[in-house]
Amino acid sequence: MTKAPFGSLSAAIAALGTALAFLTLQLRANGYEPYVESVATASIVMYVTAALVVVTWARDRRRHSN
């Protein structure tokens, strides 16, 4: 069985969260206030998801270390 790509998955999700954070700043600067909150929330969800992938990665490594 191959190793799950937790590292690359977490990095890609965090990159998506960063892109959404920059989009939030651009929307705010351009006056699109109705969309700022939802895009910022999506960005935070991406960071939380990336953190949960890292936790899953750590738990998976601990399980296979025995």
Side-chain angles (χ1 to χ4, degrees):
M1 193 165 148
T2 62
K3 287 178 65 175
F6 291 117
S8 59
L9 177 64
S10 179
I13 293 172
L16 178 59
T18 302
L20 287 171
F22 282 121
L23 178 61
T24 300
L25 295 174
Q26 282 294 92
L27 288 172
R28 183 169 300 212
N30 292 335
Y32 291 101
E33 283 296 321
Y35 305 106
V36 169
E37 184 178 349
S38 61
V39 175
T41 301
S43 175
I44 292 168
V45 167
M46 290 300 113
Y47 285 125
V48 169
T49 303
L52 290 174
V53 169
V54 169
V55 168
T56 303
W57 185 11
R59 290 178 59 109
D60 183 63
R61 288 186 60 182
R62 186 169 24 134
R63 186 181 66 175
H64 292 301
S65 66
N66 292 336

